Amino acid sequence: MPLVVFCGLPYSGKSRRVEELRAALAAEGRAVQVVDDAAVLGAEDAAVYADSVREKALRGALRAAVERRLSRQDVVILDSLNYIKGFRYELYCLARAARTPLCLVYCVRPGSLNGGLRVAGVVDNPNRNVSVSWRPRAEEGGRSLAVGADVLGEPQAVASVVNRQAQAEVPTESEPKETRATDFPALVASESEESAEHVSGAFYPPELLEALALRFEAPDSRNRWDRPLFTLVGLEEPLPLAEIRAALFENRAPPPHQSTQSQPLASGSFLHQLDQVTSQVLAGLMEAQKSAVPGDLLKLPGTTEHLRFTRPLTMAELSRLRRQFISYTKMHPNNENLPQLANMFLQYLSQSLH
């Protein structure tokens, strides 16, 4: 069944959106399986992304987990950063091999600072840019807040990790106080127990957020492995469930590619017959050229075509061409080619010798 890949920087609301999509599909009676970092590591650990070796192992484990779960019955949702386009291409190849549709959901958190990440498909607005990270305060007057909630309806300032500048909150007439980026705690508490279950509990240090932002490769709908692409800016924007359903259950699966197709079955004696036929052609050629003169057409055993004789050939030269032909044929074994092996080898010799 289809594969849904979520992409975005930490604290962009991916897990919240994953749960929203999972609940919507489960309400329709569909089986949904979610693969995330915690499911692979046992517990979410942000330090993995600070170590290239551990991060590479994590990507391999996520890819293997998705490959095991891809089937014709379940919808698989991958909840991770997925910020490398090469890894997204690997996931596209997995879906292509399984002949199942795929879509990408890109989650971005809107901010109030200049110089944020640019999102494809979002209209430029000088008052609405995308910040690298966002961490709302956990407590305001003794009341816990959900991720993305506003404090008393006022805009909050967030710290841009890229330029490391903290801008103050715009003061109001009733409350002329200044809010700095240091007011945001490391651990975010949710407004309810239900939403708390879907909020990332891992803490990403500012240095790690900066590194992730610098090496983040944003999805581009012009790439076939990044489409169909759904970009969600902020948690207030509704999830396009109708469009996602259409992409998953109404679109055709990506066409099979040679790299993802299973090789045709070959008989157990294919290599033996290949070796035997090519040996007979070489033996017949060595015997025929003893009495041939340049310009003659040689008739070799097992073939229906002729080989034009131009010069004497050595066994070393013919053996080298035979090895090349066998190596190429072993890469594309097919029982349908068995009756034509001798003619195919003769054509290969003719093209290689002239």
Side-chain angles (χ1 to χ4, degrees), residues 177-220:
K177 67 177 183 178
E178 190 178 64
T179 303
R180 294 173 299 178
T182 54
D183 293 335
F184 299 100
L187 185 60
V188 179
S190 63
E191 189 173 16
S192 62
E193 295 180 358
E194 180 180 358
S195 60
E197 295 176 357
H198 316 303
V199 176
S200 172
F203 169 63
Y204 290 80
E207 297 79 8
L208 181 55
L209 285 174
E210 178 182 4
L212 289 174
L214 290 176
R215 62 182 189 247
F216 187 88
E217 297 174 339
D220 188 346

Side-chain angles (χ1 to χ4, degrees), residues 68-121:
R68 287 194 302 268
R69 289 166 173 80
L70 277 179
S71 65
R72 297 185 179 276
Q73 291 79 29
D74 301 344
V75 177
V76 181
I77 302 177
L78 178 58
D79 177 16
S80 186
L81 301 186
N82 300 320
Y83 65 92
I84 300 177
K85 66 179 179 181
F87 181 60
R88 296 197 297 269
Y89 177 74
E90 293 182 14
L91 297 173
Y92 168 80
C93 289
L94 286 182
R96 198 172 194 176
R99 304 200 176 181
T100 183
L102 170 142
C103 75
L104 181 66
V105 181
Y106 182 26
C107 298
V108 186
R109 174 66 184 178
S112 58
L113 300 181
N114 294 327
L117 292 178
R118 303 187 66 83
V119 183

Side-chain angles (χ1 to χ4, degrees), residues 281-301 307-319 349 353:
V281 172
L282 286 191
L285 179 56
M286 293 299 295
E287 184 66 26
Q289 73 175 354
K290 292 180 181 179
S291 58
V293 295
D296 288 351
L297 295 177
L298 304 182
K299 179 69 171 67
L300 303 180
L307 176 67
R308 183 173 295 277
F309 180 71
T310 57
R311 60 180 177 84
L313 303 172
T314 64
M315 179 57 74
E317 183 179 9
L318 293 175
S319 298
L349 289 177
L353 296 173

Side-chain angles (χ1 to χ4, degrees), residues 8-19 36-38 41 43-47 49 79-81 134-136 138 145-148 185-190 192-205 208-209 212 235:
L9 287 170
Y11 310 122
S12 59
K14 295 186 302 297
S15 298
R16 183 77 59 84
R17 296 296 193 173
V18 166
E19 176 58 24
D36 54 13
D37 294 0
L41 298 175
E44 190 172 358
D45 185 9
Y49 294 97
D79 177 16
S80 186
L81 301 186
W134 59 279
R135 288 161 59 193
L145 297 176
V147 175
L187 185 60
V188 179
S190 63
S192 62
E193 295 180 358
E194 180 180 358
S195 60
E197 295 176 357
H198 316 303
V199 176
S200 172
F203 169 63
Y204 290 80
L208 181 55
L209 285 174
L212 289 174
L235 294 174

Side-chain angles (χ1 to χ4, degrees), residues 272-282 301-302 322 338 341-343 345:
H272 173 71
Q273 296 183 38
L274 175 63
D275 180 78
Q276 188 177 23
V277 168
T278 53
S279 297
Q280 291 176 357
V281 172
L282 286 191
R322 174 175 173 267
L338 285 176
L341 282 179
N343 286 331
F345 183 45

Side-chain angles (χ1 to χ4, degrees), residues 20-39:
E20 185 178 349
L21 179 60
R22 186 204 64 79
L25 294 178
E28 299 175 358
R30 303 183 186 275
V32 183
Q33 298 192 39
V34 178
V35 178
D36 54 13
D37 294 0

